[in-house]
Amino acid sequence: MFQNLAKCASFCRLGPTQTIDSLLRKGGYRAAITPETRRSIKLTRYTSQECHMTYGEYRDLVEGRGVSGQSQYNVPGKVQC
């Protein structure tokens, strides 16, 4: 459902500490989670972009026609907003 961690954490009403703890558990970490554990985490931030399209635009994209005949969607999996 969620592809963006910030939206997921916000939706679930989790604070930063709860979000990190939840991710550690989801990743299989079973030891006690202490403040030292949290401080030792190396974080990589990514940016995301949300796009919207109609079903017709999606069909055009999947069928390789681009949206409204445009060719900006020629690469599968690469959508420009």
Side-chain angles (χ1 to χ4, degrees), residues 1-80:
M1 178 176 182
F2 293 101
Q3 296 180 10
N4 180 313
L5 178 59
K7 284 187 179 185
C8 179
S10 174
F11 180 81
C12 296
R13 296 190 171 116
L14 298 177
T17 301
Q18 291 171 309
T19 301
I20 294 298
D21 292 358
S22 177
L23 288 170
L24 286 168
R25 294 293 182 217
K26 186 174 184 176
Y29 189 81
R30 300 287 174 236
I33 300 173
T34 64
E36 292 78 25
T37 305
R38 292 184 199 100
R39 281 193 293 271
S40 71
I41 294 172
K42 302 295 182 206
L43 178 67
T44 301
R45 292 181 184 259
Y46 296 93
T47 59
S48 65
Q49 184 176 24
E50 187 172 315
C51 300
H52 299 272
M53 66 177 66
T54 65
Y55 178 71
E57 290 170 331
Y58 169 76
R59 282 188 45 213
D60 288 345
L61 173 66
V62 170
E63 294 172 5
R65 292 191 303 252
V67 177
S68 302
Q70 299 171 7
S71 62
Q72 65 183 3
Y73 300 111
N74 287 340
V75 181
K78 300 289 184 183
V79 176
Q80 296 176 349

